[in-house]
Amino acid sequence: MRPGRPDLCAGLGPAAHAKGYRAGFYGFSRSSAAAIATAAGNHKADLPDALWYARYDNNADTTTGFPFATGLWTGHRRGHQYAVNKKGTFGGATLTVDHNAWDAPVAVVN
């Protein structure tokens, strides 16, 4: 999605809901996620139910430092990718991973 064009994903919500799913969106806090947040602040219809934003601030939280209006995506509907390319050792193997704080649904299995 190009910044400033939230209309390109506006149909995502109704399409996902029709299949019994929730709609989510991932983007950088200074570009595509900012465009979606601006549209949500302007009460545009049919936007994603949850927002997962990338902002590499090493803040493992979805509330403190939220880069958009505090009333947007409340009620457990935020994800925050706060660090990338971090090395960690798991079970003796060193991996390069991204770090995320999550307070949103990931999947619902019936």
Side-chain angles (χ1 to χ4, degrees):
M1 185 184 87
R2 294 188 329 233
R5 293 291 312 270
D7 55 307
L8 294 177
C9 75
L12 177 63
H17 299 159
K19 298 282 187 180
Y21 298 105
R22 294 180 183 168
F25 183 84
Y26 169 85
F28 288 93
S29 64
R30 292 187 179 178
S31 58
S32 55
I36 293 295
T38 297
N42 291 330
H43 309 289
K44 182 161 177 57
D46 300 330
L47 292 174
D49 303 304
L51 178 70
W52 179 11
Y53 64 98
R55 183 179 186 187
Y56 308 136
D57 57 4
N58 290 313
N59 180 15
D61 198 318
T62 61
T63 304
T64 303
F66 185 63
F68 311 115
T70 58
L72 297 177
W73 293 286
T74 58
H76 311 289
R77 299 185 306 143
R78 297 177 184 171
H80 175 196
Q81 185 176 40
Y82 62 89
V84 293
N85 299 326
K86 298 289 185 175
K87 292 194 183 299
T89 302
F90 306 92
T94 299
L95 304 173
T96 302
V97 298
D98 298 342
H99 292 211
N100 299 277
W102 205 257
D103 185 23
V106 176
V108 176
V109 180
N110 294 329

mmCIF file of all heavy atoms in Angstrom, residues 9-43:
data_model
loop_
_atom_site.group_PDB
_atom_site.id
_atom_site.type_symbol
_atom_site.label_atom_id
_atom_site.label_comp_id
_atom_site.label_asym_id
_atom_site.label_seq_id
_atom_site.Cartn_x
_atom_site.Cartn_y
_atom_site.Cartn_z
ATOM 1 N N CYS A 9 -6.922 -0.735 1.135
ATOM 2 C CA CYS A 9 -7.192 -1.886 2.008
ATOM 3 C C CYS A 9 -8.541 -1.756 2.702
ATOM 4 O O CYS A 9 -8.861 -2.564 3.571
ATOM 5 C CB CYS A 9 -6.061 -2.099 3.002
ATOM 6 S SG CYS A 9 -6.033 -0.926 4.338
ATOM 7 N N ALA A 10 -9.350 -0.786 2.307
ATOM 8 C CA ALA A 10 -10.629 -0.561 2.982
ATOM 9 C C ALA A 10 -11.566 -1.752 2.867
ATOM 10 O O ALA A 10 -12.351 -2.003 3.765
ATOM 11 C CB ALA A 10 -11.302 0.697 2.438
ATOM 12 N N GLY A 11 -11.501 -2.513 1.805
ATOM 13 C CA GLY A 11 -12.379 -3.671 1.653
ATOM 14 C C GLY A 11 -11.927 -4.893 2.415
ATOM 15 O O GLY A 11 -12.642 -5.896 2.469
ATOM 16 N N LEU A 12 -10.755 -4.826 3.018
ATOM 17 C CA LEU A 12 -10.220 -5.979 3.745
ATOM 18 C C LEU A 12 -11.129 -6.404 4.891
ATOM 19 O O LEU A 12 -11.399 -7.588 5.065
ATOM 20 C CB LEU A 12 -8.827 -5.648 4.281
ATOM 21 C CG LEU A 12 -8.136 -6.707 5.135
ATOM 22 C CD1 LEU A 12 -7.893 -7.955 4.311
ATOM 23 C CD2 LEU A 12 -6.834 -6.169 5.684
ATOM 24 N N GLY A 13 -11.615 -5.449 5.672
ATOM 25 C CA GLY A 13 -12.461 -5.773 6.822
ATOM 26 C C GLY A 13 -13.719 -6.532 6.443
ATOM 27 O O GLY A 13 -13.956 -7.644 6.936
ATOM 28 N N PRO A 14 -14.556 -5.996 5.552
ATOM 29 C CA PRO A 14 -15.781 -6.705 5.185
ATOM 30 C C PRO A 14 -15.513 -8.076 4.559
ATOM 31 O O PRO A 14 -16.240 -9.032 4.827
ATOM 32 C CB PRO A 14 -16.440 -5.760 4.173
ATOM 33 C CG PRO A 14 -15.928 -4.410 4.521
ATOM 34 C CD PRO A 14 -14.517 -4.644 4.998
ATOM 35 N N ALA A 15 -14.455 -8.191 3.751
ATOM 36 C CA ALA A 15 -14.144 -9.481 3.127
ATOM 37 C C ALA A 15 -13.748 -10.515 4.179
ATOM 38 O O ALA A 15 -14.191 -11.665 4.137
ATOM 39 C CB ALA A 15 -13.034 -9.309 2.096
ATOM 40 N N ALA A 16 -12.925 -10.101 5.148
ATOM 41 C CA ALA A 16 -12.515 -11.018 6.216
ATOM 42 C C ALA A 16 -13.699 -11.385 7.092
ATOM 43 O O ALA A 16 -13.882 -12.562 7.451
ATOM 44 C CB ALA A 16 -11.406 -10.382 7.054
ATOM 45 N N HIS A 17 -14.509 -10.409 7.438
ATOM 46 C CA HIS A 17 -15.678 -10.661 8.297
ATOM 47 C C HIS A 17 -16.661 -11.618 7.631
ATOM 48 O O HIS A 17 -17.264 -12.456 8.314
ATOM 49 C CB HIS A 17 -16.379 -9.352 8.643
ATOM 50 C CG HIS A 17 -15.514 -8.393 9.388
ATOM 51 N ND1 HIS A 17 -15.762 -7.048 9.430
ATOM 52 C CD2 HIS A 17 -14.381 -8.577 10.125
ATOM 53 C CE1 HIS A 17 -14.830 -6.441 10.148
ATOM 54 N NE2 HIS A 17 -13.985 -7.355 10.579
ATOM 55 N N ALA A 18 -16.824 -11.510 6.325
ATOM 56 C CA ALA A 18 -17.743 -12.395 5.601
ATOM 57 C C ALA A 18 -17.324 -13.856 5.707
ATOM 58 O O ALA A 18 -18.161 -14.751 5.626
ATOM 59 C CB ALA A 18 -17.829 -11.977 4.133
ATOM 60 N N LYS A 19 -16.034 -14.097 5.908
ATOM 61 C CA LYS A 19 -15.509 -15.462 6.047
ATOM 62 C C LYS A 19 -15.357 -15.875 7.505
ATOM 63 O O LYS A 19 -14.829 -16.933 7.808
ATOM 64 C CB LYS A 19 -14.145 -15.569 5.354
ATOM 65 C CG LYS A 19 -14.183 -15.303 3.877
ATOM 66 C CD LYS A 19 -14.700 -16.488 3.134
ATOM 67 C CE LYS A 19 -14.563 -16.266 1.639
ATOM 68 N NZ LYS A 19 -15.054 -17.394 0.899
ATOM 69 N N GLY A 20 -15.769 -14.986 8.440
ATOM 70 C CA GLY A 20 -15.672 -15.301 9.858
ATOM 71 C C GLY A 20 -14.342 -14.933 10.499
ATOM 72 O O GLY A 20 -14.035 -15.401 11.589
ATOM 73 N N TYR A 21 -13.543 -14.123 9.835
ATOM 74 C CA TYR A 21 -12.236 -13.722 10.344
ATOM 75 C C TYR A 21 -12.243 -12.245 10.738
ATOM 76 O O TYR A 21 -13.130 -11.493 10.367
ATOM 77 C CB TYR A 21 -11.148 -13.916 9.280
ATOM 78 C CG TYR A 21 -10.982 -15.336 8.843
ATOM 79 C CD1 TYR A 21 -11.460 -15.750 7.607
ATOM 80 C CD2 TYR A 21 -10.339 -16.265 9.649
ATOM 81 C CE1 TYR A 21 -11.311 -17.066 7.186
ATOM 82 C CE2 TYR A 21 -10.180 -17.573 9.245
ATOM 83 C CZ TYR A 21 -10.665 -17.969 8.004
ATOM 84 O OH TYR A 21 -10.517 -19.261 7.601
ATOM 85 N N ARG A 22 -11.198 -11.849 11.444
ATOM 86 C CA ARG A 22 -10.950 -10.443 11.728
ATOM 87 C C ARG A 22 -9.879 -9.956 10.756
ATOM 88 O O ARG A 22 -9.028 -10.725 10.331
ATOM 89 C CB ARG A 22 -10.460 -10.257 13.163
ATOM 90 C CG ARG A 22 -11.506 -10.602 14.173
ATOM 91 C CD ARG A 22 -10.968 -10.412 15.561
ATOM 92 N NE ARG A 22 -11.962 -10.818 16.533
ATOM 93 C CZ ARG A 22 -11.719 -10.981 17.804
ATOM 94 N NH1 ARG A 22 -10.511 -10.766 18.277
ATOM 95 N NH2 ARG A 22 -12.664 -11.347 18.626
ATOM 96 N N ALA A 23 -9.915 -8.677 10.462
ATOM 97 C CA ALA A 23 -8.931 -8.105 9.546
ATOM 98 C C ALA A 23 -7.832 -7.417 10.339
ATOM 99 O O ALA A 23 -8.102 -6.717 11.313
ATOM 100 C CB ALA A 23 -9.604 -7.099 8.626
ATOM 101 N N GLY A 24 -6.589 -7.605 9.912
ATOM 102 C CA GLY A 24 -5.459 -6.944 10.527
ATOM 103 C C GLY A 24 -4.592 -6.303 9.475
ATOM 104 O O GLY A 24 -4.661 -6.644 8.295
ATOM 105 N N PHE A 25 -3.763 -5.366 9.908
ATOM 106 C CA PHE A 25 -2.897 -4.647 8.981
ATOM 107 C C PHE A 25 -1.536 -4.456 9.625
ATOM 108 O O PHE A 25 -1.433 -4.114 10.803
ATOM 109 C CB PHE A 25 -3.501 -3.269 8.659
ATOM 110 C CG PHE A 25 -2.711 -2.487 7.657
ATOM 111 C CD1 PHE A 25 -2.897 -2.696 6.302
ATOM 112 C CD2 PHE A 25 -1.775 -1.549 8.061
ATOM 113 C CE1 PHE A 25 -2.156 -1.989 5.357
ATOM 114 C CE2 PHE A 25 -1.030 -0.834 7.126
ATOM 115 C CZ PHE A 25 -1.226 -1.053 5.775
ATOM 116 N N TYR A 26 -0.468 -4.676 8.851
ATOM 117 C CA TYR A 26 0.902 -4.441 9.296
ATOM 118 C C TYR A 26 1.512 -3.328 8.447
ATOM 119 O O TYR A 26 1.392 -3.342 7.219
ATOM 120 C CB TYR A 26 1.754 -5.699 9.145
ATOM 121 C CG TYR A 26 3.231 -5.440 9.350
ATOM 122 C CD1 TYR A 26 3.765 -5.442 10.634
ATOM 123 C CD2 TYR A 26 4.066 -5.159 8.286
ATOM 124 C CE1 TYR A 26 5.107 -5.173 10.833
ATOM 125 C CE2 TYR A 26 5.413 -4.894 8.476
ATOM 126 C CZ TYR A 26 5.930 -4.905 9.751
ATOM 127 O OH TYR A 26 7.252 -4.635 9.950
ATOM 128 N N GLY A 27 2.172 -2.380 9.103
ATOM 129 C CA GLY A 27 2.864 -1.332 8.364
ATOM 130 C C GLY A 27 3.795 -0.549 9.268
ATOM 131 O O GLY A 27 3.747 -0.652 10.492
ATOM 132 N N PHE A 28 4.638 0.244 8.646
ATOM 133 C CA PHE A 28 5.567 1.086 9.390
ATOM 134 C C PHE A 28 4.844 2.300 9.957
ATOM 135 O O PHE A 28 3.965 2.869 9.317
ATOM 136 C CB PHE A 28 6.737 1.516 8.508
ATOM 137 C CG PHE A 28 7.681 0.390 8.221
ATOM 138 C CD1 PHE A 28 7.528 -0.374 7.075
ATOM 139 C CD2 PHE A 28 8.693 0.078 9.111
ATOM 140 C CE1 PHE A 28 8.387 -1.431 6.815
ATOM 141 C CE2 PHE A 28 9.547 -0.977 8.860
ATOM 142 C CZ PHE A 28 9.392 -1.735 7.709
ATOM 143 N N SER A 29 5.254 2.699 11.156
ATOM 144 C CA SER A 29 4.542 3.775 11.857
ATOM 145 C C SER A 29 4.646 5.123 11.154
ATOM 146 O O SER A 29 3.830 6.006 11.404
ATOM 147 C CB SER A 29 5.054 3.909 13.298
ATOM 148 O OG SER A 29 6.405 4.307 13.321
ATOM 149 N N ARG A 30 5.614 5.287 10.281
ATOM 150 C CA ARG A 30 5.763 6.573 9.584
ATOM 151 C C ARG A 30 5.264 6.533 8.143
ATOM 152 O O ARG A 30 5.446 7.516 7.425
ATOM 153 C CB ARG A 30 7.225 7.012 9.605
ATOM 154 C CG ARG A 30 7.677 7.369 10.997
ATOM 155 C CD ARG A 30 9.049 7.958 10.978
ATOM 156 N NE ARG A 30 9.447 8.315 12.343
ATOM 157 C CZ ARG A 30 10.613 8.812 12.646
ATOM 158 N NH1 ARG A 30 11.512 9.018 11.710
ATOM 159 N NH2 ARG A 30 10.899 9.115 13.886
ATOM 160 N N SER A 31 4.666 5.433 7.726
ATOM 161 C CA SER A 31 4.190 5.377 6.341
ATOM 162 C C SER A 31 2.809 4.738 6.288
ATOM 163 O O SER A 31 1.821 5.383 6.616
ATOM 164 C CB SER A 31 5.211 4.662 5.445
ATOM 165 O OG SER A 31 5.463 3.354 5.913
ATOM 166 N N SER A 32 2.729 3.482 5.901
ATOM 167 C CA SER A 32 1.418 2.866 5.671
ATOM 168 C C SER A 32 0.566 2.779 6.933
ATOM 169 O O SER A 32 -0.647 3.044 6.884
ATOM 170 C CB SER A 32 1.573 1.489 5.031
ATOM 171 O OG SER A 32 2.413 0.661 5.817
ATOM 172 N N ALA A 33 1.149 2.449 8.077
ATOM 173 C CA ALA A 33 0.356 2.409 9.312
ATOM 174 C C ALA A 33 -0.120 3.806 9.689
ATOM 175 O O ALA A 33 -1.229 3.981 10.205
ATOM 176 C CB ALA A 33 1.159 1.789 10.453
ATOM 177 N N ALA A 34 0.700 4.822 9.411
ATOM 178 C CA ALA A 34 0.291 6.200 9.685
ATOM 179 C C ALA A 34 -0.896 6.589 8.805
ATOM 180 O O ALA A 34 -1.814 7.282 9.266
ATOM 181 C CB ALA A 34 1.455 7.157 9.458
ATOM 182 N N ALA A 35 -0.896 6.156 7.556
ATOM 183 C CA ALA A 35 -2.018 6.456 6.659
ATOM 184 C C ALA A 35 -3.303 5.801 7.154
ATOM 185 O O ALA A 35 -4.381 6.418 7.144
ATOM 186 C CB ALA A 35 -1.697 5.995 5.238
ATOM 187 N N ILE A 36 -3.196 4.550 7.626
ATOM 188 C CA ILE A 36 -4.371 3.849 8.162
ATOM 189 C C ILE A 36 -4.844 4.546 9.438
ATOM 190 O O ILE A 36 -6.051 4.722 9.651
ATOM 191 C CB ILE A 36 -4.034 2.369 8.432
ATOM 192 C CG1 ILE A 36 -3.761 1.648 7.118
ATOM 193 C CG2 ILE A 36 -5.141 1.678 9.204
ATOM 194 C CD1 ILE A 36 -4.958 1.543 6.191
ATOM 195 N N ALA A 37 -3.918 4.949 10.294
ATOM 196 C CA ALA A 37 -4.293 5.634 11.537
ATOM 197 C C ALA A 37 -4.975 6.969 11.249
ATOM 198 O O ALA A 37 -5.943 7.334 11.925
ATOM 199 C CB ALA A 37 -3.069 5.837 12.421
ATOM 200 N N THR A 38 -4.494 7.687 10.264
ATOM 201 C CA THR A 38 -5.125 8.950 9.888
ATOM 202 C C THR A 38 -6.551 8.705 9.404
ATOM 203 O O THR A 38 -7.485 9.409 9.796
ATOM 204 C CB THR A 38 -4.306 9.670 8.804
ATOM 205 O OG1 THR A 38 -3.023 9.986 9.350
ATOM 206 C CG2 THR A 38 -4.988 10.951 8.346
ATOM 207 N N ALA A 39 -6.719 7.689 8.581
ATOM 208 C CA ALA A 39 -8.058 7.352 8.093
ATOM 209 C C ALA A 39 -8.975 6.935 9.237
ATOM 210 O O ALA A 39 -10.139 7.339 9.294
ATOM 211 C CB ALA A 39 -7.974 6.233 7.048
ATOM 212 N N ALA A 40 -8.445 6.160 10.184
ATOM 213 C CA ALA A 40 -9.252 5.746 11.338
ATOM 214 C C ALA A 40 -9.629 6.953 12.186
ATOM 215 O O ALA A 40 -10.761 7.048 12.675
ATOM 216 C CB ALA A 40 -8.485 4.722 12.173
ATOM 217 N N GLY A 41 -8.696 7.878 12.353
ATOM 218 C CA GLY A 41 -8.986 9.089 13.102
ATOM 219 C C GLY A 41 -10.041 9.953 12.439
ATOM 220 O O GLY A 41 -10.754 10.706 13.104
ATOM 221 N N ASN A 42 -10.151 9.817 11.120
ATOM 222 C CA ASN A 42 -11.174 10.535 10.356
ATOM 223 C C ASN A 42 -12.448 9.714 10.183
ATOM 224 O O ASN A 42 -13.294 10.054 9.365
ATOM 225 C CB ASN A 42 -10.619 10.941 8.987
ATOM 226 C CG ASN A 42 -9.560 12.007 9.100
ATOM 227 O OD1 ASN A 42 -9.591 12.829 10.017
ATOM 228 N ND2 ASN A 42 -8.602 11.998 8.195
ATOM 229 N N HIS A 43 -12.538 8.595 10.911
ATOM 230 C CA HIS A 43 -13.727 7.732 10.946
ATOM 231 C C HIS A 43 -14.059 7.105 9.598
ATOM 232 O O HIS A 43 -15.219 6.897 9.280
ATOM 233 C CB HIS A 43 -14.934 8.484 11.514
ATOM 234 C CG HIS A 43 -14.636 9.152 12.819
ATOM 235 N ND1 HIS A 43 -14.449 8.446 13.985
ATOM 236 C CD2 HIS A 43 -14.434 10.454 13.136
ATOM 237 C CE1 HIS A 43 -14.164 9.279 14.965
ATOM 238 N NE2 HIS A 43 -14.151 10.509 14.479
#
